[in-house]
PDB file of all heavy atoms in Angstrom:
ATOM      1  N   TRP A   1     144.873-111.820  39.401  1.00 71.00           N
ATOM      2  CA  TRP A   1     145.086-112.533  38.139  1.00 71.00           C
ATOM      3  C   TRP A   1     143.865-113.355  37.747  1.00 71.00           C
ATOM      4  O   TRP A   1     143.680-113.634  36.611  1.00 71.00           O
ATOM      5  CB  TRP A   1     146.309-113.435  38.292  1.00 71.00           C
ATOM      6  CG  TRP A   1     147.627-112.702  38.090  1.00 71.00           C
ATOM      7  CD1 TRP A   1     147.879-111.731  37.207  1.00 71.00           C
ATOM      8  CD2 TRP A   1     148.809-112.928  38.822  1.00 71.00           C
ATOM      9  NE1 TRP A   1     149.198-111.315  37.337  1.00 71.00           N
ATOM     10  CE2 TRP A   1     149.775-112.029  38.308  1.00 71.00           C
ATOM     11  CE3 TRP A   1     149.195-113.782  39.868  1.00 71.00           C
ATOM     12  CZ2 TRP A   1     151.068-111.998  38.805  1.00 71.00           C
ATOM     13  CZ3 TRP A   1     150.461-113.739  40.333  1.00 71.00           C
ATOM     14  CH2 TRP A   1     151.378-112.841  39.838  1.00 71.00           C
ATOM     15  N   SER A   2     143.115-113.804  38.705  1.00 73.00           N
ATOM     16  CA  SER A   2     141.900-114.595  38.415  1.00 73.00           C
ATOM     17  C   SER A   2     140.746-113.738  37.958  1.00 73.00           C
ATOM     18  O   SER A   2     139.769-114.305  37.390  1.00 73.00           O
ATOM     19  CB  SER A   2     141.553-115.428  39.582  1.00 73.00           C
ATOM     20  OG  SER A   2     141.136-114.614  40.707  1.00 73.00           O
ATOM     21  N   ASN A   3     140.795-112.426  38.198  1.00 71.00           N
ATOM     22  CA  ASN A   3     139.657-111.541  37.851  1.00 71.00           C
ATOM     23  C   ASN A   3     139.984-110.592  36.698  1.00 71.00           C
ATOM     24  O   ASN A   3     139.014-110.068  36.123  1.00 71.00           O
ATOM     25  CB  ASN A   3     139.308-110.703  39.094  1.00 71.00           C
ATOM     26  CG  ASN A   3     138.529-111.495  40.135  1.00 71.00           C
ATOM     27  OD1 ASN A   3     137.313-111.654  40.022  1.00 71.00           O
ATOM     28  ND2 ASN A   3     139.259-112.043  41.088  1.00 71.00           N
ATOM     29  N   TYR A   4     141.249-110.442  36.359  1.00 60.00           N
ATOM     30  CA  TYR A   4     141.593-109.505  35.295  1.00 60.00           C
ATOM     31  C   TYR A   4     142.557-110.185  34.344  1.00 60.00           C
ATOM     32  O   TYR A   4     143.345-111.063  34.718  1.00 60.00           O
ATOM     33  CB  TYR A   4     142.230-108.247  35.822  1.00 60.00           C
ATOM     34  CG  TYR A   4     141.305-107.431  36.729  1.00 60.00           C
ATOM     35  CD1 TYR A   4     141.246-107.647  38.110  1.00 60.00           C
ATOM     36  CD2 TYR A   4     140.473-106.456  36.196  1.00 60.00           C
ATOM     37  CE1 TYR A   4     140.390-106.944  38.920  1.00 60.00           C
ATOM     38  CE2 TYR A   4     139.598-105.760  36.989  1.00 60.00           C
ATOM     39  CZ  TYR A   4     139.522-105.988  38.331  1.00 60.00           C
ATOM     40  OH  TYR A   4     138.713-105.264  39.125  1.00 60.00           O
ATOM     41  N   SER A   5     142.490-109.777  33.045  1.00 49.00           N
ATOM     42  CA  SER A   5     143.356-110.439  32.056  1.00 49.00           C
ATOM     43  C   SER A   5     144.816-110.053  32.239  1.00 49.00           C
ATOM     44  O   SER A   5     145.686-110.794  31.802  1.00 49.00           O
ATOM     45  CB  SER A   5     142.866-110.038  30.650  1.00 49.00           C
ATOM     46  OG  SER A   5     142.935-108.615  30.471  1.00 49.00           O
ATOM     47  N   GLY A   6     145.059-108.930  32.849  1.00 47.00           N
ATOM     48  CA  GLY A   6     146.452-108.535  33.040  1.00 47.00           C
ATOM     49  C   GLY A   6     146.560-107.345  33.968  1.00 47.00           C
ATOM     50  O   GLY A   6     145.595-106.723  34.350  1.00 47.00           O
ATOM     51  N   ALA A   7     147.796-107.024  34.341  1.00 47.00           N
ATOM     52  CA  ALA A   7     148.078-105.931  35.214  1.00 47.00           C
ATOM     53  C   ALA A   7     149.390-105.267  34.772  1.00 47.00           C
ATOM     54  O   ALA A   7     150.201-105.912  34.088  1.00 47.00           O
ATOM     55  CB  ALA A   7     148.225-106.391  36.673  1.00 47.00           C
ATOM     56  N   PRO A   8     149.615-103.950  35.131  1.00 44.00           N
ATOM     57  CA  PRO A   8     150.907-103.321  34.753  1.00 44.00           C
ATOM     58  C   PRO A   8     152.076-104.181  35.178  1.00 44.00           C
ATOM     59  O   PRO A   8     152.214-104.501  36.401  1.00 44.00           O
ATOM     60  CB  PRO A   8     150.789-101.956  35.514  1.00 44.00           C
ATOM     61  CG  PRO A   8     149.342-101.777  35.754  1.00 44.00           C
ATOM     62  CD  PRO A   8     148.742-103.115  35.932  1.00 44.00           C
ATOM     63  N   ASP A   9     152.863-104.496  34.359  1.00 78.00           N
ATOM     64  CA  ASP A   9     154.057-105.375  34.660  1.00 78.00           C
ATOM     65  C   ASP A   9     153.661-106.742  35.206  1.00 78.00           C
ATOM     66  O   ASP A   9     154.480-107.435  35.752  1.00 78.00           O
ATOM     67  CB  ASP A   9     154.979-104.690  35.695  1.00 78.00           C
ATOM     68  CG  ASP A   9     156.319-105.444  35.688  1.00 78.00           C
ATOM     69  OD1 ASP A   9     156.798-105.831  34.594  1.00 78.00           O
ATOM     70  OD2 ASP A   9     156.855-105.584  36.787  1.00 78.00           O
ATOM     71  N   ALA A  10     152.581-107.055  34.942  1.00 47.00           N
ATOM     72  CA  ALA A  10     152.139-108.417  35.416  1.00 47.00           C
ATOM     73  C   ALA A  10     150.975-108.905  34.552  1.00 47.00           C
ATOM     74  O   ALA A  10     149.918-109.187  35.004  1.00 47.00           O
ATOM     75  CB  ALA A  10     151.685-108.341  36.910  1.00 47.00           C
ATOM     76  N   THR A  11     151.260-109.077  33.285  1.00 51.00           N
ATOM     77  CA  THR A  11     150.262-109.612  32.360  1.00 51.00           C
ATOM     78  C   THR A  11     150.138-111.064  32.545  1.00 51.00           C
ATOM     79  O   THR A  11     150.945-111.734  33.241  1.00 51.00           O
ATOM     80  CB  THR A  11     150.650-109.282  30.936  1.00 51.00           C
ATOM     81  OG1 THR A  11     151.859-109.999  30.607  1.00 51.00           O
ATOM     82  CG2 THR A  11     150.856-107.823  30.685  1.00 51.00           C
ATOM     83  N   ALA A  12     149.092-111.661  31.901  1.00 50.00           N
ATOM     84  CA  ALA A  12     148.878-113.119  31.994  1.00 50.00           C
ATOM     85  C   ALA A  12     150.102-113.811  31.424  1.00 50.00           C
ATOM     86  O   ALA A  12     150.522-114.863  31.978  1.00 50.00           O
ATOM     87  CB  ALA A  12     147.606-113.484  31.261  1.00 50.00           C
ATOM     88  N   GLY A  13     150.626-113.328  30.306  1.00 57.00           N
ATOM     89  CA  GLY A  13     151.786-113.997  29.750  1.00 57.00           C
ATOM     90  C   GLY A  13     153.014-113.834  30.632  1.00 57.00           C
ATOM     91  O   GLY A  13     153.831-114.744  30.761  1.00 57.00           O
ATOM     92  N   ASP A  14     153.126-112.699  31.351  1.00 65.00           N
ATOM     93  CA  ASP A  14     154.195-112.482  32.313  1.00 65.00           C
ATOM     94  C   ASP A  14     154.098-113.483  33.428  1.00 65.00           C
ATOM     95  O   ASP A  14     155.099-114.049  33.917  1.00 65.00           O
ATOM     96  CB  ASP A  14     154.142-111.070  32.830  1.00 65.00           C
ATOM     97  CG  ASP A  14     155.220-110.758  33.788  1.00 65.00           C
ATOM     98  OD1 ASP A  14     156.406-111.087  33.445  1.00 65.00           O
ATOM     99  OD2 ASP A  14     154.956-110.254  34.893  1.00 65.00           O
ATOM    100  N   ARG A  15     152.866-113.770  33.858  1.00 65.00           N
ATOM    101  CA  ARG A  15     152.709-114.724  34.975  1.00 65.00           C
ATOM    102  C   ARG A  15     153.139-116.122  34.546  1.00 65.00           C
ATOM    103  O   ARG A  15     153.824-116.817  35.308  1.00 65.00           O
ATOM    104  CB  ARG A  15     151.226-114.738  35.390  1.00 65.00           C
ATOM    105  CG  ARG A  15     150.997-115.670  36.612  1.00 65.00           C
ATOM    106  CD  ARG A  15     149.531-115.910  36.842  1.00 65.00           C
ATOM    107  NE  ARG A  15     149.400-116.750  38.051  1.00 65.00           N
ATOM    108  CZ  ARG A  15     148.312-117.456  38.318  1.00 65.00           C
ATOM    109  NH1 ARG A  15     147.312-117.447  37.458  1.00 65.00           N
ATOM    110  NH2 ARG A  15     148.221-118.159  39.386  1.00 65.00           N
ATOM    111  N   GLU A  16     152.794-116.510  33.324  1.00 72.00           N
ATOM    112  CA  GLU A  16     153.206-117.802  32.809  1.00 72.00           C
ATOM    113  C   GLU A  16     154.701-117.932  32.731  1.00 72.00           C
ATOM    114  O   GLU A  16     155.347-118.933  33.038  1.00 72.00           O
ATOM    115  CB  GLU A  16     152.596-118.076  31.443  1.00 72.00           C
ATOM    116  CG  GLU A  16     151.053-118.153  31.490  1.00 72.00           C
ATOM    117  CD  GLU A  16     150.460-118.245  30.083  1.00 72.00           C
ATOM    118  OE1 GLU A  16     151.234-118.185  29.111  1.00 72.00           O
ATOM    119  OE2 GLU A  16     149.227-118.326  29.992  1.00 72.00           O
ATOM    120  N   TYR A  17     155.364-116.808  32.324  1.00 73.00           N
ATOM    121  CA  TYR A  17     156.827-116.765  32.268  1.00 73.00           C
ATOM    122  C   TYR A  17     157.431-116.976  33.633  1.00 73.00           C
ATOM    123  O   TYR A  17     158.380-117.713  33.804  1.00 73.00           O
ATOM    124  CB  TYR A  17     157.272-115.466  31.606  1.00 73.00           C
ATOM    125  CG  TYR A  17     158.767-115.364  31.434  1.00 73.00           C
ATOM    126  CD1 TYR A  17     159.358-115.696  30.216  1.00 73.00           C
ATOM    127  CD2 TYR A  17     159.639-114.944  32.473  1.00 73.00           C
ATOM    128  CE1 TYR A  17     160.719-115.591  30.045  1.00 73.00           C
ATOM    129  CE2 TYR A  17     161.006-114.836  32.296  1.00 73.00           C
ATOM    130  CZ  TYR A  17     161.532-115.164  31.072  1.00 73.00           C
ATOM    131  OH  TYR A  17     162.872-115.120  30.913  1.00 73.00           O
ATOM    132  N   ARG A  18     156.895-116.231  34.616  1.00 69.00           N
ATOM    133  CA  ARG A  18     157.424-116.323  35.981  1.00 69.00           C
ATOM    134  C   ARG A  18     157.247-117.723  36.554  1.00 69.00           C
ATOM    135  O   ARG A  18     158.165-118.255  37.199  1.00 69.00           O
ATOM    136  CB  ARG A  18     156.725-115.310  36.896  1.00 69.00           C
ATOM    137  CG  ARG A  18     157.191-113.875  36.630  1.00 69.00           C
ATOM    138  CD  ARG A  18     156.343-112.894  37.443  1.00 69.00           C
ATOM    139  NE  ARG A  18     156.761-111.528  37.248  1.00 69.00           N
ATOM    140  CZ  ARG A  18     157.458-110.838  38.184  1.00 69.00           C
ATOM    141  NH1 ARG A  18     157.874-111.401  39.260  1.00 69.00           N
ATOM    142  NH2 ARG A  18     157.836-109.580  37.915  1.00 69.00           N
ATOM    143  N   LEU A  19     156.121-118.326  36.342  1.00 72.00           N
ATOM    144  CA  LEU A  19     155.856-119.691  36.846  1.00 72.00           C
ATOM    145  C   LEU A  19     156.853-120.692  36.217  1.00 72.00           C
ATOM    146  O   LEU A  19     157.260-121.657  36.850  1.00 72.00           O
ATOM    147  CB  LEU A  19     154.413-120.120  36.591  1.00 72.00           C
ATOM    148  CG  LEU A  19     153.349-119.389  37.378  1.00 72.00           C
ATOM    149  CD1 LEU A  19     151.976-119.824  36.929  1.00 72.00           C
ATOM    150  CD2 LEU A  19     153.529-119.653  38.872  1.00 72.00           C
ATOM    151  N   ALA A  20     157.233-120.459  34.982  1.00 78.00           N
ATOM    152  CA  ALA A  20     158.144-121.362  34.273  1.00 78.00           C
ATOM    153  C   ALA A  20     159.586-121.071  34.559  1.00 78.00           C
ATOM    154  O   ALA A  20     160.477-121.850  34.189  1.00 78.00           O
ATOM    155  CB  ALA A  20     157.879-121.337  32.765  1.00 78.00           C
ATOM    156  N   ASN A  21     159.893-119.912  35.230  1.00 75.00           N
ATOM    157  CA  ASN A  21     161.252-119.531  35.448  1.00 75.00           C
ATOM    158  C   ASN A  21     161.516-119.078  36.884  1.00 75.00           C
ATOM    159  O   ASN A  21     162.113-118.066  37.192  1.00 75.00           O
ATOM    160  CB  ASN A  21     161.599-118.334  34.511  1.00 75.00           C
ATOM    161  CG  ASN A  21     161.677-118.739  33.063  1.00 75.00           C
ATOM    162  OD1 ASN A  21     162.713-119.194  32.557  1.00 75.00           O
ATOM    163  ND2 ASN A  21     160.544-118.579  32.382  1.00 75.00           N
ATOM    164  N   ALA A  22     161.036-119.919  37.833  1.00 67.00           N
ATOM    165  CA  ALA A  22     161.286-119.732  39.284  1.00 67.00           C
ATOM    166  C   ALA A  22     160.917-118.360  39.734  1.00 67.00           C
ATOM    167  O   ALA A  22     161.634-117.750  40.581  1.00 67.00           O
ATOM    168  CB  ALA A  22     162.741-120.043  39.555  1.00 67.00           C
ATOM    169  N   GLY A  23     159.838-117.757  39.209  1.00 65.00           N
ATOM    170  CA  GLY A  23     159.372-116.487  39.668  1.00 65.00           C
ATOM    171  C   GLY A  23     160.084-115.289  39.093  1.00 65.00           C
ATOM    172  O   GLY A  23     159.814-114.144  39.444  1.00 65.00           O
ATOM    173  N   ARG A  24     161.047-115.530  38.173  1.00 68.00           N
ATOM    174  CA  ARG A  24     161.813-114.421  37.613  1.00 68.00           C
ATOM    175  C   ARG A  24     161.040-113.696  36.508  1.00 68.00           C
ATOM    176  O   ARG A  24     160.395-114.377  35.665  1.00 68.00           O
ATOM    177  CB  ARG A  24     163.141-114.924  37.074  1.00 68.00           C
ATOM    178  CG  ARG A  24     164.004-115.560  38.127  1.00 68.00           C
ATOM    179  CD  ARG A  24     165.232-116.237  37.521  1.00 68.00           C
ATOM    180  NE  ARG A  24     166.004-116.919  38.510  1.00 68.00           N
ATOM    181  CZ  ARG A  24     167.064-117.691  38.240  1.00 68.00           C
ATOM    182  NH1 ARG A  24     167.402-117.869  36.989  1.00 68.00           N
ATOM    183  NH2 ARG A  24     167.747-118.244  39.189  1.00 68.00           N
ATOM    184  N   PRO A  25     161.091-112.404  36.444  1.00 68.00           N
ATOM    185  CA  PRO A  25     160.412-111.675  35.341  1.00 68.00           C
ATOM    186  C   PRO A  25     161.251-111.737  34.071  1.00 68.00           C
ATOM    187  O   PRO A  25     162.381-112.080  34.073  1.00 68.00           O
ATOM    188  CB  PRO A  25     160.375-110.242  35.926  1.00 68.00           C
ATOM    189  CG  PRO A  25     161.591-110.137  36.748  1.00 68.00           C
ATOM    190  CD  PRO A  25     161.752-111.513  37.381  1.00 68.00           C
ATOM    191  N   PRO A  26     160.621-111.397  32.937  1.00 72.00           N
ATOM    192  CA  PRO A  26     161.359-111.320  31.679  1.00 72.00           C
ATOM    193  C   PRO A  26     162.474-110.310  31.799  1.00 72.00           C
ATOM    194  O   PRO A  26     162.377-109.296  32.477  1.00 72.00           O
ATOM    195  CB  PRO A  26     160.332-110.867  30.671  1.00 72.00           C
ATOM    196  CG  PRO A  26     159.020-111.243  31.257  1.00 72.00           C
ATOM    197  CD  PRO A  26     159.201-111.076  32.752  1.00 72.00           C
ATOM    198  N   GLY A  27     163.601-110.612  31.146  1.00 74.00           N
ATOM    199  CA  GLY A  27     164.757-109.726  31.258  1.00 74.00           C
ATOM    200  C   GLY A  27     164.669-108.529  30.349  1.00 74.00           C
ATOM    201  O   GLY A  27     163.843-108.459  29.434  1.00 74.00           O
ATOM    202  N   ARG A  28     165.503-107.560  30.561  1.00 76.00           N
ATOM    203  CA  ARG A  28     165.654-106.370  29.735  1.00 76.00           C
ATOM    204  C   ARG A  28     167.020-106.467  29.076  1.00 76.00           C
ATOM    205  O   ARG A  28     168.019-106.876  29.683  1.00 76.00           O
ATOM    206  CB  ARG A  28     165.600-105.093  30.561  1.00 76.00           C
ATOM    207  CG  ARG A  28     164.362-104.977  31.431  1.00 76.00           C
ATOM    208  CD  ARG A  28     163.106-104.743  30.670  1.00 76.00           C
ATOM    209  NE  ARG A  28     162.046-104.206  31.533  1.00 76.00           N
ATOM    210  CZ  ARG A  28     160.789-104.026  31.080  1.00 76.00           C
ATOM    211  NH1 ARG A  28     160.468-104.317  29.862  1.00 76.00           N
ATOM    212  NH2 ARG A  28     159.904-103.486  31.921  1.00 76.00           N
ATOM    213  N   THR A  29     167.095-106.070  27.799  1.00 77.00           N
ATOM    214  CA  THR A  29     168.356-106.157  27.075  1.00 77.00           C
ATOM    215  C   THR A  29     168.636-104.826  26.428  1.00 77.00           C
ATOM    216  O   THR A  29     167.758-104.037  26.122  1.00 77.00           O
ATOM    217  CB  THR A  29     168.365-107.257  26.019  1.00 77.00           C
ATOM    218  OG1 THR A  29     167.296-106.947  25.052  1.00 77.00           O
ATOM    219  CG2 THR A  29     168.090-108.615  26.643  1.00 77.00           C
ATOM    220  N   GLY A  30     169.927-104.592  26.183  1.00 77.00           N
ATOM    221  CA  GLY A  30     170.360-103.377  25.480  1.00 77.00           C
ATOM    222  C   GLY A  30     171.705-103.606  24.855  1.00 77.00           C
ATOM    223  O   GLY A  30     172.559-104.405  25.422  1.00 77.00           O
ATOM    224  N   SER A  31     171.972-103.001  23.734  1.00 79.00           N
ATOM    225  CA  SER A  31     173.283-103.168  23.081  1.00 79.00           C
ATOM    226  C   SER A  31     173.627-101.864  22.349  1.00 79.00           C
ATOM    227  O   SER A  31     172.754-101.098  21.990  1.00 79.00           O
ATOM    228  CB  SER A  31     173.260-104.364  22.102  1.00 79.00           C
ATOM    229  OG  SER A  31     172.318-104.118  21.031  1.00 79.00           O
ATOM    230  N   GLU A  32     174.921-101.638  22.117  1.00 78.00           N
ATOM    231  CA  GLU A  32     175.368-100.461  21.407  1.00 78.00           C
ATOM    232  C   GLU A  32     176.759-100.703  20.870  1.00 78.00           C
ATOM    233  O   GLU A  32     177.476-101.566  21.332  1.00 78.00           O
ATOM    234  CB  GLU A  32     175.368 -99.241  22.318  1.00 78.00           C
ATOM    235  CG  GLU A  32     176.275 -99.368  23.471  1.00 78.00           C
ATOM    236  CD  GLU A  32     176.400 -98.034  24.246  1.00 78.00           C
ATOM    237  OE1 GLU A  32     176.313 -96.992  23.627  1.00 78.00           O
ATOM    238  OE2 GLU A  32     176.554 -98.120  25.487  1.00 78.00           O
ATOM    239  N   ASP A  33     177.121 -99.911  19.869  1.00 77.00           N
ATOM    240  CA  ASP A  33     178.475 -99.922  19.350  1.00 77.00           C
ATOM    241  C   ASP A  33     179.010 -98.511  19.398  1.00 77.00           C
ATOM    242  O   ASP A  33     178.315 -97.542  19.035  1.00 77.00           O
ATOM    243  CB  ASP A  33     178.481-100.398  17.847  1.00 77.00           C
ATOM    244  CG  ASP A  33     178.053-101.832  17.713  1.00 77.00           C
ATOM    245  OD1 ASP A  33     178.580-102.653  18.493  1.00 77.00           O
ATOM    246  OD2 ASP A  33     177.234-102.156  16.872  1.00 77.00           O
ATOM    247  N   GLN A  34     180.242 -98.337  19.864  1.00 77.00           N
ATOM    248  CA  GLN A  34     180.857 -97.046  19.949  1.00 77.00           C
ATOM    249  C   GLN A  34     182.275 -97.101  19.353  1.00 77.00           C
ATOM    250  O   GLN A  34     183.009 -98.084  19.540  1.00 77.00           O
ATOM    251  CB  GLN A  34     180.949 -96.567  21.391  1.00 77.00           C
ATOM    252  CG  GLN A  34     179.637 -96.344  22.058  1.00 77.00           C
ATOM    253  CD  GLN A  34     178.863 -95.159  21.502  1.00 77.00           C
ATOM    254  OE1 GLN A  34     179.459 -94.346  20.763  1.00 77.00           O
ATOM    255  NE2 GLN A  34     177.588 -95.031  21.817  1.00 77.00           N
ATOM    256  N   PHE A  35     182.661 -96.087  18.649  1.00 78.00           N
ATOM    257  CA  PHE A  35     184.044 -95.901  18.136  1.00 78.00           C
ATOM    258  C   PHE A  35     184.709 -94.901  19.015  1.00 78.00           C
ATOM    259  O   PHE A  35     184.265 -93.766  19.142  1.00 78.00           O
ATOM    260  CB  PHE A  35     183.985 -95.445  16.691  1.00 78.00           C
ATOM    261  CG  PHE A  35     185.318 -95.182  16.084  1.00 78.00           C
ATOM    262  CD1 PHE A  35     186.255 -96.217  15.976  1.00 78.00           C
ATOM    263  CD2 PHE A  35     185.684 -93.919  15.639  1.00 78.00           C
ATOM    264  CE1 PHE A  35     187.480 -96.002  15.390  1.00 78.00           C
ATOM    265  CE2 PHE A  35     186.949 -93.718  15.039  1.00 78.00           C
ATOM    266  CZ  PHE A  35     187.817 -94.734  14.915  1.00 78.00           C
ATOM    267  N   VAL A  36     185.846 -95.288  19.685  1.00 79.00           N
ATOM    268  CA  VAL A  36     186.526 -94.438  20.659  1.00 79.00           C
ATOM    269  C   VAL A  36     187.976 -94.241  20.184  1.00 79.00           C
ATOM    270  O   VAL A  36     188.846 -95.034  20.525  1.00 79.00           O
ATOM    271  CB  VAL A  36     186.512 -95.128  22.047  1.00 79.00           C
ATOM    272  CG1 VAL A  36     187.134 -94.199  23.076  1.00 79.00           C
ATOM    273  CG2 VAL A  36     185.076 -95.475  22.462  1.00 79.00           C
ATOM    274  N   PRO A  37     188.210 -93.167  19.410  1.00 81.00           N
ATOM    275  CA  PRO A  37     189.585 -92.942  18.906  1.00 81.00           C
ATOM    276  C   PRO A  37     190.343 -91.976  19.815  1.00 81.00           C
ATOM    277  O   PRO A  37     189.746 -91.290  20.680  1.00 81.00           O
ATOM    278  CB  PRO A  37     189.292 -92.282  17.544  1.00 81.00           C
ATOM    279  CG  PRO A  37     187.996 -91.514  17.764  1.00 81.00           C
ATOM    280  CD  PRO A  37     187.200 -92.304  18.769  1.00 81.00           C
ATOM    281  N   LYS A  38     191.645 -91.904  19.559  1.00 82.00           N
ATOM    282  CA  LYS A  38     192.521 -90.970  20.232  1.00 82.00           C
ATOM    283  C   LYS A  38     193.642 -90.618  19.284  1.00 82.00           C
ATOM    284  O   LYS A  38     194.312 -91.520  18.746  1.00 82.00           O
ATOM    285  CB  LYS A  38     193.066 -91.523  21.530  1.00 82.00           C
ATOM    286  CG  LYS A  38     194.022 -90.561  22.250  1.00 82.00           C
ATOM    287  CD  LYS A  38     194.563 -91.165  23.542  1.00 82.00           C
ATOM    288  CE  LYS A  38     195.529 -90.176  24.220  1.00 82.00           C
ATOM    289  NZ  LYS A  38     196.015 -90.739  25.492  1.00 82.00           N
ATOM    290  N   VAL A  39     193.888 -89.324  19.081  1.00 85.00           N
ATOM    291  CA  VAL A  39     195.008 -88.889  18.229  1.00 85.00           C
ATOM    292  C   VAL A  39     195.746 -87.775  18.962  1.00 85.00           C
ATOM    293  O   VAL A  39     195.123 -86.840  19.502  1.00 85.00           O
ATOM    294  CB  VAL A  39     194.456 -88.339  16.866  1.00 85.00           C
ATOM    295  CG1 VAL A  39     195.610 -87.882  16.014  1.00 85.00           C
ATOM    296  CG2 VAL A  39     193.704 -89.441  16.136  1.00 85.00           C
ATOM    297  N   SER A  40     197.067 -87.835  18.986  1.00 86.00           N
ATOM    298  CA  SER A  40     197.875 -86.834  19.653  1.00 86.00           C
ATOM    299  C   SER A  40     199.068 -86.480  18.806  1.00 86.00           C
ATOM    300  O   SER A  40     199.728 -87.373  18.243  1.00 86.00           O
ATOM    301  CB  SER A  40     198.351 -87.371  21.003  1.00 86.00           C
ATOM    302  OG  SER A  40     199.227 -86.460  21.667  1.00 86.00           O
ATOM    303  N   LEU A  41     199.342 -85.166  18.740  1.00 88.00           N
ATOM    304  CA  LEU A  41     200.533 -84.664  18.026  1.00 88.00           C
ATOM    305  C   LEU A  41     201.238 -83.637  18.871  1.00 88.00           C
ATOM    306  O   LEU A  41     200.600 -82.841  19.560  1.00 88.00           O
ATOM    307  CB  LEU A  41     200.118 -83.991  16.698  1.00 88.00           C
ATOM    308  CG  LEU A  41     199.448 -84.875  15.599  1.00 88.00           C
ATOM    309  CD1 LEU A  41     198.949 -83.978  14.466  1.00 88.00           C
ATOM    310  CD2 LEU A  41     200.465 -85.871  15.067  1.00 88.00           C
TER     311      LEU A  41
END
């Protein structure tokens, strides 16, 4: 970190985030909407 501006999954901004959040990396999020019908005759 002292010799390079960043690394794969470990950029300078990522390091600052980890230091501010007890070593935890940034989270990943995902969302979706689904319509689940059922019809029976």
Side-chain angles (χ1 to χ4, degrees):
W1 279 322
S2 65
N3 285 275
Y4 297 90
S5 60
D9 193 38
T11 64
D14 182 49
R15 184 191 183 201
E16 295 173 359
Y17 183 95
R18 287 173 178 257
L19 291 174
N21 292 274
R24 299 172 182 173
R28 308 289 198 186
T29 61
S31 63
E32 63 172 326
D33 295 314
Q34 296 291 346
F35 178 61
V36 184
K38 178 179 180 179
V39 179
S40 175
L41 295 172

